[in-house]
Amino acid sequence: MEIILETKDIKKTYLFDKNKEQEVLKNINIKVKKGEFISVMGPSGSGKSTLLYNMCGMDRVTSGRLVFEGNDISGYSENEFSKLRLERIGFIFQHVNFLKNLNIFDNIALPAYAAKIQSRKEINKKAEELMEKTGISETGEKDITEVSGGQLQRAGICRALINNPDILFGDEPTGALNSKYTNDIMDIICRINKEGTTVLLVTHDIKVASRSEKVLFMKDGSITGEYYLGKYEGELKGREEKLSEWLMKLDF
Ligand SMILES: Nc1ncnc2c1ncn2[C@@H]1O[C@H](COP(=O)(O)OP(=O)(O)OP(=O)(O)O)[C@@H](O)[C@H]1O
Ligand SMILES: [Mg+2]
């Protein structure tokens, strides 16, 4: 199967206290296949968010290479990475960073206006559709301070999907949601995955991870385990148990 994104020996080192180094990512090699749905789990501080940021160029690797659809993109400029993210990648942030002077609807639609791939009419239709699916149709005209944390997170999910990304990243995409909305959001994510979008999520939630095809376990900056659950076909039964058992063996 075709690889959409690959990391080759990527490392990320942070400097702290002026001259001390912390290796947050240690020689990470991941091959993400087109259409795959991967979850990344692991203890707090193990480097999961850093991994996602470095895989999409929001943060720059210290060494190693990034390959997107067969092209080495490690040397991309900030502009090239921005264009790639805008047109091909969706990112659901743990903490939504919307613009204060735009209402919810315009914040969701903004990346589509900027990408200029779809017409205004298509963008508005797509935004309305996404808002309906995530249960926030009523919030479009509202200011970002006038909605709840859960509504804001759902709006962040709409924004990540507005340009029909080929690959969707999510850093704890359901972290601020109750179980009903977590399920609804996961239904949406699973549906777009079925339609062909590749998905890579960081999550602490076994319910969320059990929907994925493969789970990677991260510890101290390395991928220390990989568990293949197989494609989710709408039946969760047994998957959570299998995953919990595996995680227990890893002492997580
Ligand atoms: N900008 C930064 N400068 C210095 N150190 C950083 C920076 N960002 C992250 N770190 C360090 O890198 C390590 C990994 O952080 P990261 O946020 O990737 O962990 P995580 O696995 O996502 O944790 P959590 O589950 O709590 O979100 C931590 O020790 C953190 O302190
Ligand atoms: Mg994190």
Side-chain angles (χ1 to χ4, degrees):
M1 202 191 226
E2 216 179 323
I3 304 293
I4 185 163
L5 181 63
E6 182 174 1
T7 70
K8 292 188 169 176
D9 280 325
I10 59 167
K11 280 191 189 189
K12 179 70 182 179
T13 309
Y14 285 119
L15 280 178
F16 66 104
D17 270 0
K18 292 203 178 76
N19 56 4
K20 288 184 199 143
E21 282 191 353
Q22 183 190 4
E23 216 173 54
V24 180
L25 300 179
K26 301 169 184 165
N27 296 80
I28 305 256
N29 290 290
I30 299 176
K31 282 188 177 136
V32 185
K33 294 178 195 145
K34 245 186 195 140
E36 205 171 19
F37 178 173
I38 300 178
S39 290
V40 182
M41 302 188 84
S44 178
S46 56
K48 304 179 299 296
S49 297
T50 308
L51 176 66
L52 286 198
Y53 290 139
N54 279 274
M55 281 179 86
C56 66
M58 266 190 285
D59 201 355
R60 304 302 290 262
V61 297
T62 309
S63 67
R65 295 195 292 135
L66 268 186
V67 181
F68 185 79
E69 291 181 335
N71 301 311
D72 190 331
I73 57 167
S74 323
Y76 264 23
S77 65
E78 294 306 324
N79 279 342
E80 285 170 313
F81 265 123
S82 300
K83 187 167 169 359
L84 179 73
R85 279 195 301 273
L86 188 63
E87 293 173 356
R88 312 289 305 278
I89 297 173
F91 201 105
I92 306 166
F93 293 90
Q94 190 165 9
H95 304 288
V96 183
N97 45 351
F98 274 3
L99 296 176
K100 288 190 187 71
N101 54 340
L102 295 183
N103 67 23
I104 295 289
F105 187 92
D106 289 337
N107 264 296
I108 291 171
L110 189 65
Y113 296 151
K116 299 191 182 88
I117 301 166
Q118 307 169 78
S119 69
R120 287 263 161 169
K121 208 172 150 194
E122 284 169 326
I123 297 168
N124 291 347
K125 187 164 165 267
K126 176 93 199 185
E128 276 165 19
E129 228 174 70
L130 286 166
M131 291 175 76
E132 197 187 322
K133 281 184 195 163
T134 50
I136 54 165
S137 296
E138 312 303 313
T139 64
E141 302 289 316
K142 290 195 170 176
D143 214 74
I144 65 164
T145 54
E146 293 167 344
V147 296
S148 72
Q151 287 172 328
L152 198 60
Q153 194 166 27
R154 283 179 275 154
I157 291 164
C158 296
R159 178 179 58 179
L161 297 177
I162 192 80
N163 282 334
N164 304 311
D166 294 291
I167 177 162
L168 175 70
F169 288 92
D171 192 357
E172 298 275 358
T174 57
L177 304 178
N178 64 21
S179 59
K180 178 187 180 309
Y181 284 124
T182 295
N183 264 331
D184 291 351
I185 298 297
M186 288 316 296
D187 284 344
I188 294 168
I189 291 179
C190 286
R191 188 165 58 237
I192 62 158
N193 174 243
K194 213 164 188 167
E195 289 164 4
T197 303
T198 308
V199 180
L200 188 68
L201 302 185
V202 163
T203 183
H204 286 279
D205 188 339
I206 291 182
K207 273 199 158 49
V208 170
S210 63
R211 301 250 201 156
S212 53
E213 195 172 345
K214 190 162 89 182
V215 182
L216 301 177
F217 191 77
M218 201 168 179
K219 198 174 175 187
D220 297 332
S222 301
I223 303 290
T224 58
E226 182 177 322
Y227 189 76
Y228 188 74
L229 272 164
K231 268 254 181 262
Y232 169 70
E233 303 286 359
E235 180 63 71
L236 269 176
K237 208 162 171 280
R239 296 172 73 93
E240 277 177 48
E241 288 78 11
K242 278 196 237 168
L243 185 56
S244 312
E245 261 174 49
W246 178 68
L247 290 169
M248 225 118 79
K249 280 193 206 128
L250 291 167
D251 209 13
F252 182 55

